[in-house]
Amino acid sequence: MHAEQWCLAGQTLGRKTLSMRKVSNSSERRFAEVARALEQTLVASFDDSFETLESRFTALERHLLRSVVTTAYERQEVRRRIAEAIFTEAYGHDCPWPVFGRTLRRIHRLGYSNVERRYHIACLYARWCQRHPQHDNREARRLLDETERSIRHLPHTNSLRQWLLSALSELRIQTGFQAGTTPDQ
């Protein structure tokens, strides 16, 4: 996995996210434990195949759900973090659509914790489509448009809003996936 791909993923590992949900101190400690476990799994499996890495993350998810997290909210967030890690690794390993698409569908089912997570997923999906021009990219374009709408809902005074909009604009230039366009336009 390349560092620049995990740069975006690091947005929620080990630091607070944009989520407006208040969590208890004990919940914060559990989330820190989850972040450490994810990071340790990534480091331990740096040179592993995607299949091996995916099975390690799946085993980690089972362990965390059984023995670390306690609330429904924490369980949902653990499932999301694991799904995001697997998706990011599928991108980093340049997995074919049957594998990459499966990881993307899982994230769609689980939903997004915040706009940063939505941005991360949309960016990697757009870049994956750029690597695989034979793949129909309309869904990636739609996800970028949805992400932009979510970002625009942030307060105008939010510095993250401006950074994300700027980064998204740059990504659109790099990929050619301009807002509201489809390949036929």
Side-chain angles (χ1 to χ4, degrees):
M1 172 42 79
H2 298 74
E4 62 270 11
Q5 289 138 6
W6 275 102
C7 175
L8 291 173
Q11 305 262 346
T12 58
L13 297 177
R15 77 175 183 95
K16 294 186 181 189
T17 67
L18 287 177
S19 176
M20 299 304 287
R21 185 176 182 111
K22 292 276 188 189
V23 294
S24 66
N25 287 338
S26 59
S27 191
E28 279 192 23
R29 283 192 298 277
R30 287 188 294 273
F31 281 136
E33 186 175 341
V34 167
R36 276 191 303 279
L38 279 166
E39 290 170 351
Q40 289 169 351
T41 300
L42 281 170
V43 169
S45 55
F46 183 74
D47 290 325
D48 290 348
S49 69
F50 175 77
E51 294 75 18
T52 301
L53 192 138
E54 184 176 30
S55 67
R56 284 187 183 197
F57 273 119
T58 303
L60 175 63
E61 180 177 5
R62 282 192 306 270
H63 165 73
L64 293 171
L65 292 174
R66 262 194 331 265
S67 60
V68 176
V69 297
T70 59
T71 69
Y73 172 73
E74 291 171 353
R75 286 190 292 278
Q76 180 73 356
E77 289 304 302
V78 164
R79 287 183 185 103
R80 287 174 174 160
R81 294 298 83 73
I82 296 290
E84 290 161 1
I86 292 170
F87 173 81
T88 301
E89 288 298 324
Y91 172 80
H93 284 81
D94 201 20
C95 290
W97 178 249
V99 174
F100 187 78
R102 174 177 45 84
T103 65
L104 179 63
R105 285 187 300 278
R106 182 170 185 227
I107 290 172
H108 284 315
R109 278 193 311 273
L110 292 170
Y112 303 95
S113 302
N114 58 54
V115 70
E116 285 177 302
R117 301 289 71 224
R118 180 182 292 269
Y119 169 80
H120 171 75
I121 300 307
C123 286
L124 292 188
Y125 186 22
R127 291 197 181 279
W128 185 91
C129 286
Q130 188 180 25
R131 287 183 187 171
H132 300 268
Q134 73 281 6
H135 181 77
D136 184 356
N137 60 34
R138 287 178 289 191
E139 179 68 16
R141 291 169 183 268
R142 186 190 61 73
L143 188 55
L144 286 174
D145 291 345
E146 287 176 3
T147 300
E148 184 171 348
R149 283 191 295 276
S150 294
I151 293 168
R152 290 191 182 285
H153 281 101
L154 293 173
H156 286 274
T157 57
N158 186 317
S159 60
L160 184 62
R161 179 185 195 270
Q162 240 358 85
W163 184 87
L164 289 173
L165 286 173
S166 175
L168 189 58
S169 176
E170 181 63 30
L171 175 75
R172 286 185 184 278
I173 291 167
Q174 292 169 0
T175 61
F177 296 175
Q178 297 306 315
T181 63
T182 61
D184 300 325
Q185 290 180 323

Short mmCIF file of all heavy atoms in Angstrom, two decimals, residues 125-179:
data_model
loop_
_atom_site.label_atom_id
_atom_site.label_comp_id
_atom_site.label_asym_id
_atom_site.label_seq_id
_atom_site.Cartn_x
_atom_site.Cartn_y
_atom_site.Cartn_z
N TYR A 125 -12.30 5.62 -5.75
CA TYR A 125 -13.12 5.01 -6.79
C TYR A 125 -12.87 5.72 -8.13
O TYR A 125 -12.68 5.06 -9.18
CB TYR A 125 -14.59 5.08 -6.40
CG TYR A 125 -15.54 4.36 -7.33
CD1 TYR A 125 -15.13 3.33 -8.17
CD2 TYR A 125 -16.88 4.71 -7.35
CE1 TYR A 125 -16.02 2.68 -9.00
CE2 TYR A 125 -17.78 4.06 -8.18
CZ TYR A 125 -17.35 3.05 -9.01
OH TYR A 125 -18.23 2.41 -9.84
N ALA A 126 -12.83 7.03 -8.13
CA ALA A 126 -12.56 7.77 -9.37
C ALA A 126 -11.18 7.43 -9.92
O ALA A 126 -11.01 7.22 -11.13
CB ALA A 126 -12.68 9.28 -9.12
N ARG A 127 -10.20 7.36 -9.05
CA ARG A 127 -8.84 7.02 -9.50
C ARG A 127 -8.78 5.58 -10.01
O ARG A 127 -8.06 5.28 -10.97
CB ARG A 127 -7.83 7.26 -8.39
CG ARG A 127 -7.67 8.75 -8.11
CD ARG A 127 -6.40 9.02 -7.34
NE ARG A 127 -6.25 10.42 -7.05
CZ ARG A 127 -5.78 11.32 -7.91
NH1 ARG A 127 -5.45 10.96 -9.12
NH2 ARG A 127 -5.67 12.58 -7.55
N TRP A 128 -9.52 4.66 -9.36
CA TRP A 128 -9.55 3.28 -9.84
C TRP A 128 -10.14 3.25 -11.25
O TRP A 128 -9.61 2.56 -12.13
CB TRP A 128 -10.36 2.40 -8.88
CG TRP A 128 -10.33 0.96 -9.27
CD1 TRP A 128 -9.42 0.02 -8.84
CD2 TRP A 128 -11.21 0.29 -10.18
NE1 TRP A 128 -9.70 -1.18 -9.44
CE2 TRP A 128 -10.79 -1.05 -10.26
CE3 TRP A 128 -12.31 0.70 -10.93
CZ2 TRP A 128 -11.44 -1.98 -11.06
CZ3 TRP A 128 -12.96 -0.22 -11.73
CH2 TRP A 128 -12.51 -1.56 -11.78
N CYS A 129 -11.21 3.99 -11.47
CA CYS A 129 -11.83 4.05 -12.81
C CYS A 129 -10.86 4.63 -13.83
O CYS A 129 -10.83 4.20 -14.99
CB CYS A 129 -13.12 4.88 -12.77
SG CYS A 129 -14.49 4.03 -11.99
N GLN A 130 -10.05 5.59 -13.41
CA GLN A 130 -9.06 6.18 -14.31
C GLN A 130 -8.03 5.12 -14.71
O GLN A 130 -7.59 5.08 -15.85
CB GLN A 130 -8.39 7.36 -13.62
CG GLN A 130 -7.48 8.16 -14.51
CD GLN A 130 -6.85 9.32 -13.77
OE1 GLN A 130 -6.69 9.29 -12.54
NE2 GLN A 130 -6.49 10.35 -14.52
N ARG A 131 -7.65 4.25 -13.77
CA ARG A 131 -6.71 3.16 -14.05
C ARG A 131 -7.33 2.10 -14.95
O ARG A 131 -6.61 1.33 -15.58
CB ARG A 131 -6.30 2.45 -12.76
CG ARG A 131 -5.39 3.15 -11.86
CD ARG A 131 -5.09 2.21 -10.72
NE ARG A 131 -4.32 2.82 -9.67
CZ ARG A 131 -4.09 2.23 -8.51
NH1 ARG A 131 -4.58 1.03 -8.26
NH2 ARG A 131 -3.37 2.84 -7.60
N HIS A 132 -8.66 1.99 -14.92
CA HIS A 132 -9.38 0.94 -15.64
C HIS A 132 -10.39 1.59 -16.58
O HIS A 132 -11.60 1.55 -16.34
CB HIS A 132 -10.10 0.02 -14.64
CG HIS A 132 -9.16 -0.66 -13.70
ND1 HIS A 132 -8.61 -1.88 -13.95
CD2 HIS A 132 -8.65 -0.24 -12.49
CE1 HIS A 132 -7.80 -2.22 -12.94
NE2 HIS A 132 -7.82 -1.24 -12.05
N PRO A 133 -9.91 2.20 -17.67
CA PRO A 133 -10.80 2.95 -18.55
C PRO A 133 -11.90 2.09 -19.20
O PRO A 133 -12.91 2.62 -19.65
CB PRO A 133 -9.86 3.54 -19.60
CG PRO A 133 -8.60 2.77 -19.50
CD PRO A 133 -8.53 2.22 -18.11
N GLN A 134 -11.72 0.78 -19.21
CA GLN A 134 -12.76 -0.08 -19.77
C GLN A 134 -13.96 -0.19 -18.84
O GLN A 134 -15.04 -0.60 -19.26
CB GLN A 134 -12.19 -1.48 -20.08
CG GLN A 134 -11.91 -2.35 -18.85
CD GLN A 134 -10.61 -2.01 -18.11
OE1 GLN A 134 -9.91 -1.05 -18.40
NE2 GLN A 134 -10.28 -2.83 -17.12
N HIS A 135 -13.82 0.21 -17.59
CA HIS A 135 -14.92 0.15 -16.62
C HIS A 135 -15.85 1.36 -16.80
O HIS A 135 -15.39 2.48 -16.97
CB HIS A 135 -14.36 0.12 -15.19
CG HIS A 135 -15.42 0.02 -14.15
ND1 HIS A 135 -16.06 -1.16 -13.86
CD2 HIS A 135 -15.96 0.95 -13.33
CE1 HIS A 135 -16.95 -0.95 -12.91
NE2 HIS A 135 -16.91 0.32 -12.58
N ASP A 136 -17.14 1.12 -16.74
CA ASP A 136 -18.13 2.20 -16.82
C ASP A 136 -17.97 3.09 -15.59
O ASP A 136 -18.12 2.64 -14.46
CB ASP A 136 -19.54 1.59 -16.87
CG ASP A 136 -20.62 2.63 -17.03
OD1 ASP A 136 -20.32 3.84 -17.05
OD2 ASP A 136 -21.79 2.23 -17.15
N ASN A 137 -17.66 4.36 -15.80
CA ASN A 137 -17.34 5.25 -14.67
C ASN A 137 -18.50 6.14 -14.24
O ASN A 137 -18.32 7.04 -13.43
CB ASN A 137 -16.11 6.10 -15.00
CG ASN A 137 -16.31 6.97 -16.20
OD1 ASN A 137 -17.40 7.45 -16.47
ND2 ASN A 137 -15.23 7.18 -16.95
N ARG A 138 -19.69 5.90 -14.73
CA ARG A 138 -20.83 6.75 -14.36
C ARG A 138 -21.11 6.73 -12.86
O ARG A 138 -21.44 7.76 -12.28
CB ARG A 138 -22.08 6.35 -15.13
CG ARG A 138 -22.02 6.78 -16.60
CD ARG A 138 -23.24 6.34 -17.32
NE ARG A 138 -23.17 4.88 -17.46
CZ ARG A 138 -23.97 4.16 -18.23
NH1 ARG A 138 -24.93 4.76 -18.90
NH2 ARG A 138 -23.84 2.87 -18.31
N GLU A 139 -20.96 5.57 -12.24
CA GLU A 139 -21.18 5.47 -10.80
C GLU A 139 -20.14 6.28 -10.03
O GLU A 139 -20.46 6.94 -9.03
CB GLU A 139 -21.15 4.00 -10.36
CG GLU A 139 -21.36 3.78 -8.88
CD GLU A 139 -22.77 4.13 -8.40
OE1 GLU A 139 -23.68 4.26 -9.22
OE2 GLU A 139 -22.94 4.26 -7.17
N ALA A 140 -18.90 6.26 -10.48
CA ALA A 140 -17.85 7.05 -9.82
C ALA A 140 -18.15 8.54 -9.97
O ALA A 140 -18.00 9.31 -9.01
CB ALA A 140 -16.48 6.73 -10.42
N ARG A 141 -18.59 8.94 -11.12
CA ARG A 141 -18.96 10.35 -11.34
C ARG A 141 -20.12 10.75 -10.43
O ARG A 141 -20.13 11.83 -9.84
CB ARG A 141 -19.33 10.58 -12.81
CG ARG A 141 -18.16 10.48 -13.75
CD ARG A 141 -18.65 10.44 -15.20
NE ARG A 141 -17.58 10.27 -16.14
CZ ARG A 141 -16.92 11.26 -16.73
NH1 ARG A 141 -17.23 12.51 -16.47
NH2 ARG A 141 -15.96 11.00 -17.58
N ARG A 142 -21.12 9.86 -10.31
CA ARG A 142 -22.26 10.13 -9.44
C ARG A 142 -21.81 10.26 -7.98
O ARG A 142 -22.25 11.17 -7.27
CB ARG A 142 -23.30 9.01 -9.57
CG ARG A 142 -24.60 9.28 -8.80
CD ARG A 142 -25.50 8.07 -8.75
NE ARG A 142 -24.91 6.92 -8.09
CZ ARG A 142 -24.73 6.82 -6.77
NH1 ARG A 142 -25.06 7.79 -5.98
NH2 ARG A 142 -24.19 5.73 -6.26
N LEU A 143 -20.90 9.38 -7.56
CA LEU A 143 -20.40 9.44 -6.19
C LEU A 143 -19.61 10.73 -5.94
O LEU A 143 -19.74 11.34 -4.87
CB LEU A 143 -19.54 8.21 -5.87
CG LEU A 143 -19.10 8.03 -4.43
CD1 LEU A 143 -20.29 8.02 -3.47
CD2 LEU A 143 -18.31 6.74 -4.29
N LEU A 144 -18.85 11.18 -6.91
CA LEU A 144 -18.15 12.46 -6.78
C LEU A 144 -19.15 13.61 -6.64
O LEU A 144 -18.96 14.50 -5.81
CB LEU A 144 -17.23 12.71 -7.98
CG LEU A 144 -15.95 11.90 -8.04
CD1 LEU A 144 -15.22 12.16 -9.36
CD2 LEU A 144 -15.03 12.19 -6.87
N ASP A 145 -20.21 13.58 -7.44
CA ASP A 145 -21.23 14.62 -7.35
C ASP A 145 -21.92 14.61 -5.98
O ASP A 145 -22.13 15.67 -5.38
CB ASP A 145 -22.28 14.45 -8.46
CG ASP A 145 -21.74 14.75 -9.86
OD1 ASP A 145 -20.65 15.35 -9.97
OD2 ASP A 145 -22.41 14.35 -10.84
N GLU A 146 -22.26 13.42 -5.49
CA GLU A 146 -22.88 13.32 -4.16
C GLU A 146 -21.94 13.82 -3.08
O GLU A 146 -22.36 14.50 -2.14
CB GLU A 146 -23.26 11.87 -3.86
CG GLU A 146 -24.44 11.35 -4.62
CD GLU A 146 -24.69 9.87 -4.35
OE1 GLU A 146 -23.98 9.26 -3.52
OE2 GLU A 146 -25.61 9.33 -4.97
N THR A 147 -20.66 13.49 -3.23
CA THR A 147 -19.67 13.93 -2.25
C THR A 147 -19.56 15.44 -2.25
O THR A 147 -19.52 16.07 -1.18
CB THR A 147 -18.30 13.28 -2.56
OG1 THR A 147 -18.45 11.86 -2.47
CG2 THR A 147 -17.23 13.75 -1.60
N GLU A 148 -19.54 16.03 -3.42
CA GLU A 148 -19.47 17.48 -3.50
C GLU A 148 -20.68 18.13 -2.83
O GLU A 148 -20.54 19.11 -2.10
CB GLU A 148 -19.35 17.95 -4.95
CG GLU A 148 -19.18 19.45 -5.06
CD GLU A 148 -18.85 19.91 -6.46
OE1 GLU A 148 -18.52 19.07 -7.33
OE2 GLU A 148 -18.91 21.14 -6.68
N ARG A 149 -21.86 17.58 -3.06
CA ARG A 149 -23.05 18.12 -2.39
C ARG A 149 -22.93 18.01 -0.87
O ARG A 149 -23.29 18.94 -0.14
CB ARG A 149 -24.32 17.41 -2.88
CG ARG A 149 -24.77 17.88 -4.26
CD ARG A 149 -26.14 17.37 -4.62
NE ARG A 149 -26.21 15.92 -4.76
CZ ARG A 149 -25.90 15.24 -5.85
NH1 ARG A 149 -25.46 15.89 -6.92
NH2 ARG A 149 -26.01 13.94 -5.89
N SER A 150 -22.40 16.90 -0.38
CA SER A 150 -22.21 16.72 1.07
C SER A 150 -21.21 17.74 1.62
O SER A 150 -21.42 18.31 2.69
CB SER A 150 -21.70 15.32 1.38
OG SER A 150 -22.67 14.36 1.06
N ILE A 151 -20.15 17.97 0.88
CA ILE A 151 -19.14 18.94 1.32
C ILE A 151 -19.75 20.34 1.36
O ILE A 151 -19.52 21.11 2.30
CB ILE A 151 -17.91 18.91 0.38
CG1 ILE A 151 -17.18 17.57 0.51
CG2 ILE A 151 -16.96 20.07 0.69
CD1 ILE A 151 -16.13 17.33 -0.57
N ARG A 152 -20.55 20.67 0.37
CA ARG A 152 -21.16 22.00 0.31
C ARG A 152 -22.16 22.24 1.44
O ARG A 152 -22.49 23.38 1.74
CB ARG A 152 -21.81 22.23 -1.05
CG ARG A 152 -20.78 22.39 -2.15
CD ARG A 152 -21.37 22.87 -3.45
NE ARG A 152 -20.36 22.96 -4.48
CZ ARG A 152 -19.44 23.91 -4.57
NH1 ARG A 152 -19.41 24.87 -3.68
NH2 ARG A 152 -18.55 23.91 -5.54
N HIS A 153 -22.61 21.18 2.10
CA HIS A 153 -23.48 21.32 3.26
C HIS A 153 -22.72 21.71 4.53
O HIS A 153 -23.34 22.09 5.53
CB HIS A 153 -24.29 20.04 3.50
CG HIS A 153 -25.46 19.92 2.59
ND1 HIS A 153 -25.44 19.11 1.47
CD2 HIS A 153 -26.68 20.52 2.61
CE1 HIS A 153 -26.60 19.21 0.85
NE2 HIS A 153 -27.36 20.06 1.51
N LEU A 154 -21.39 21.61 4.50
CA LEU A 154 -20.60 22.05 5.65
C LEU A 154 -20.70 23.57 5.74
O LEU A 154 -20.87 24.25 4.72
CB LEU A 154 -19.13 21.64 5.48
CG LEU A 154 -18.82 20.16 5.52
CD1 LEU A 154 -17.35 19.93 5.16
CD2 LEU A 154 -19.13 19.57 6.89
N PRO A 155 -20.56 24.12 6.94
CA PRO A 155 -20.61 25.59 7.08
C PRO A 155 -19.52 26.25 6.23
O PRO A 155 -18.41 25.73 6.10
CB PRO A 155 -20.34 25.81 8.57
CG PRO A 155 -20.65 24.51 9.22
CD PRO A 155 -20.39 23.44 8.21
N HIS A 156 -19.83 27.40 5.67
CA HIS A 156 -18.86 28.13 4.83
C HIS A 156 -17.61 28.49 5.60
O HIS A 156 -16.54 28.64 5.01
CB HIS A 156 -19.50 29.40 4.25
CG HIS A 156 -20.47 29.10 3.16
ND1 HIS A 156 -20.10 28.96 1.86
CD2 HIS A 156 -21.82 28.90 3.19
CE1 HIS A 156 -21.16 28.68 1.12
NE2 HIS A 156 -22.22 28.64 1.91
N THR A 157 -17.71 28.62 6.91
CA THR A 157 -16.55 28.99 7.73
C THR A 157 -15.66 27.79 8.05
O THR A 157 -14.58 27.97 8.59
CB THR A 157 -17.03 29.63 9.05
OG1 THR A 157 -17.90 28.70 9.72
CG2 THR A 157 -17.77 30.93 8.79
N ASN A 158 -16.10 26.61 7.71
CA ASN A 158 -15.33 25.40 8.00
C ASN A 158 -14.14 25.31 7.04
O ASN A 158 -14.32 25.24 5.83
CB ASN A 158 -16.25 24.19 7.85
CG ASN A 158 -15.60 22.89 8.26
OD1 ASN A 158 -14.46 22.64 7.93
ND2 ASN A 158 -16.36 22.07 8.97
N SER A 159 -12.92 25.30 7.60
CA SER A 159 -11.73 25.26 6.74
C SER A 159 -11.63 23.94 5.99
O SER A 159 -11.09 23.90 4.87
CB SER A 159 -10.47 25.49 7.57
OG SER A 159 -10.34 24.49 8.56
N LEU A 160 -12.15 22.87 6.55
CA LEU A 160 -12.13 21.59 5.86
C LEU A 160 -12.99 21.65 4.60
O LEU A 160 -12.65 21.03 3.58
CB LEU A 160 -12.62 20.47 6.79
CG LEU A 160 -12.57 19.07 6.21
CD1 LEU A 160 -11.12 18.68 5.90
CD2 LEU A 160 -13.18 18.09 7.19
N ARG A 161 -14.06 22.38 4.65
CA ARG A 161 -14.95 22.53 3.49
C ARG A 161 -14.15 23.05 2.31
O ARG A 161 -14.21 22.50 1.21
CB ARG A 161 -16.10 23.49 3.82
CG ARG A 161 -17.06 23.73 2.67
CD ARG A 161 -18.10 24.78 3.07
NE ARG A 161 -19.24 24.82 2.19
CZ ARG A 161 -19.33 25.58 1.11
NH1 ARG A 161 -18.31 26.39 0.78
NH2 ARG A 161 -20.39 25.55 0.35
N GLN A 162 -13.40 24.12 2.51
CA GLN A 162 -12.63 24.72 1.41
C GLN A 162 -11.56 23.75 0.93
O GLN A 162 -11.35 23.62 -0.28
CB GLN A 162 -11.98 26.01 1.89
CG GLN A 162 -12.35 27.27 1.16
CD GLN A 162 -13.29 27.15 -0.01
OE1 GLN A 162 -14.51 27.13 0.13
NE2 GLN A 162 -12.75 27.08 -1.21
N TRP A 163 -10.88 23.09 1.85
CA TRP A 163 -9.82 22.15 1.46
C TRP A 163 -10.40 21.01 0.64
O TRP A 163 -9.85 20.65 -0.41
CB TRP A 163 -9.10 21.61 2.69
CG TRP A 163 -7.95 20.73 2.31
CD1 TRP A 163 -6.67 21.13 2.05
CD2 TRP A 163 -7.99 19.32 2.09
NE1 TRP A 163 -5.91 20.04 1.68
CE2 TRP A 163 -6.70 18.92 1.70
CE3 TRP A 163 -8.98 18.36 2.18
CZ2 TRP A 163 -6.38 17.60 1.41
CZ3 TRP A 163 -8.66 17.04 1.89
CH2 TRP A 163 -7.37 16.67 1.51
N LEU A 164 -11.51 20.42 1.10
CA LEU A 164 -12.11 19.30 0.38
C LEU A 164 -12.63 19.72 -0.99
O LEU A 164 -12.45 18.99 -1.97
CB LEU A 164 -13.24 18.68 1.21
CG LEU A 164 -12.83 17.88 2.44
CD1 LEU A 164 -14.05 17.48 3.25
CD2 LEU A 164 -12.00 16.66 2.05
N LEU A 165 -13.25 20.89 -1.08
CA LEU A 165 -13.73 21.36 -2.38
C LEU A 165 -12.57 21.60 -3.34
O LEU A 165 -12.66 21.26 -4.53
CB LEU A 165 -14.56 22.64 -2.22
CG LEU A 165 -15.96 22.46 -1.64
CD1 LEU A 165 -16.60 23.82 -1.36
CD2 LEU A 165 -16.83 21.61 -2.55
N SER A 166 -11.50 22.15 -2.83
CA SER A 166 -10.32 22.39 -3.67
C SER A 166 -9.71 21.07 -4.13
O SER A 166 -9.39 20.91 -5.32
CB SER A 166 -9.30 23.22 -2.88
OG SER A 166 -8.12 23.36 -3.61
N ALA A 167 -9.56 20.13 -3.21
CA ALA A 167 -8.99 18.83 -3.56
C ALA A 167 -9.90 18.08 -4.53
O ALA A 167 -9.41 17.43 -5.48
CB ALA A 167 -8.77 18.01 -2.29
N LEU A 168 -11.20 18.17 -4.33
CA LEU A 168 -12.14 17.52 -5.23
C LEU A 168 -12.09 18.14 -6.63
O LEU A 168 -12.11 17.43 -7.64
CB LEU A 168 -13.56 17.61 -4.67
CG LEU A 168 -14.63 16.80 -5.37
CD1 LEU A 168 -14.30 15.32 -5.40
CD2 LEU A 168 -15.97 17.03 -4.70
N SER A 169 -11.95 19.45 -6.70
CA SER A 169 -11.82 20.14 -7.98
C SER A 169 -10.56 19.67 -8.71
O SER A 169 -10.59 19.40 -9.92
CB SER A 169 -11.78 21.64 -7.75
OG SER A 169 -11.57 22.31 -8.96
N GLU A 170 -9.47 19.56 -7.98
CA GLU A 170 -8.21 19.08 -8.56
C GLU A 170 -8.35 17.64 -9.06
O GLU A 170 -7.89 17.29 -10.14
CB GLU A 170 -7.08 19.18 -7.54
CG GLU A 170 -5.73 18.74 -8.06
CD GLU A 170 -5.22 19.59 -9.21
OE1 GLU A 170 -5.54 20.79 -9.27
OE2 GLU A 170 -4.46 19.06 -10.04
N LEU A 171 -9.02 16.80 -8.28
CA LEU A 171 -9.24 15.41 -8.69
C LEU A 171 -10.07 15.35 -9.96
O LEU A 171 -9.78 14.58 -10.87
CB LEU A 171 -9.95 14.63 -7.57
CG LEU A 171 -10.33 13.20 -7.95
CD1 LEU A 171 -9.10 12.30 -7.95
CD2 LEU A 171 -11.39 12.66 -7.02
N ARG A 172 -11.09 16.20 -10.05
CA ARG A 172 -11.93 16.22 -11.24
C ARG A 172 -11.10 16.61 -12.47
O ARG A 172 -11.30 16.05 -13.55
CB ARG A 172 -13.10 17.18 -11.05
CG ARG A 172 -14.18 16.65 -10.12
CD ARG A 172 -15.34 17.62 -10.09
NE ARG A 172 -16.39 17.29 -9.18
CZ ARG A 172 -17.37 16.43 -9.41
NH1 ARG A 172 -17.39 15.75 -10.54
NH2 ARG A 172 -18.32 16.22 -8.52
N ILE A 173 -10.19 17.54 -12.32
CA ILE A 173 -9.32 17.93 -13.43
C ILE A 173 -8.43 16.77 -13.82
O ILE A 173 -8.28 16.44 -15.01
CB ILE A 173 -8.48 19.18 -13.06
CG1 ILE A 173 -9.39 20.41 -12.94
CG2 ILE A 173 -7.36 19.40 -14.07
CD1 ILE A 173 -8.73 21.60 -12.28
N GLN A 174 -7.83 16.09 -12.82
CA GLN A 174 -6.92 14.98 -13.09
C GLN A 174 -7.61 13.80 -13.77
O GLN A 174 -7.03 13.14 -14.62
CB GLN A 174 -6.25 14.52 -11.79
CG GLN A 174 -5.31 15.51 -11.20
CD GLN A 174 -4.87 15.13 -9.80
OE1 GLN A 174 -5.26 14.11 -9.26
NE2 GLN A 174 -4.03 15.97 -9.21
N THR A 175 -8.85 13.53 -13.36
CA THR A 175 -9.56 12.37 -13.90
C THR A 175 -10.43 12.71 -15.11
O THR A 175 -10.84 11.81 -15.83
CB THR A 175 -10.46 11.73 -12.83
OG1 THR A 175 -11.43 12.70 -12.40
CG2 THR A 175 -9.65 11.22 -11.65
N GLY A 176 -10.75 13.99 -15.29
CA GLY A 176 -11.66 14.38 -16.35
C GLY A 176 -13.12 14.16 -15.99
O GLY A 176 -13.99 14.24 -16.84
N PHE A 177 -13.40 13.88 -14.72
CA PHE A 177 -14.76 13.63 -14.25
C PHE A 177 -15.36 14.93 -13.73
O PHE A 177 -15.51 15.15 -12.55
CB PHE A 177 -14.79 12.60 -13.14
CG PHE A 177 -14.33 11.22 -13.52
CD1 PHE A 177 -14.21 10.24 -12.56
CD2 PHE A 177 -14.03 10.88 -14.83
CE1 PHE A 177 -13.80 8.96 -12.90
CE2 PHE A 177 -13.61 9.61 -15.18
CZ PHE A 177 -13.49 8.64 -14.21
N GLN A 178 -15.73 15.81 -14.65
CA GLN A 178 -16.28 17.10 -14.27
C GLN A 178 -17.68 16.95 -13.67
O GLN A 178 -18.37 15.98 -13.96
CB GLN A 178 -16.31 18.05 -15.46
CG GLN A 178 -14.92 18.37 -16.00
CD GLN A 178 -13.96 18.90 -14.95
OE1 GLN A 178 -14.32 19.75 -14.15
NE2 GLN A 178 -12.76 18.36 -14.91
N ALA A 179 -18.06 17.89 -12.84
CA ALA A 179 -19.34 17.83 -12.14
C ALA A 179 -20.50 17.72 -13.11
O ALA A 179 -20.58 18.46 -14.10
CB ALA A 179 -19.52 19.07 -11.26
#
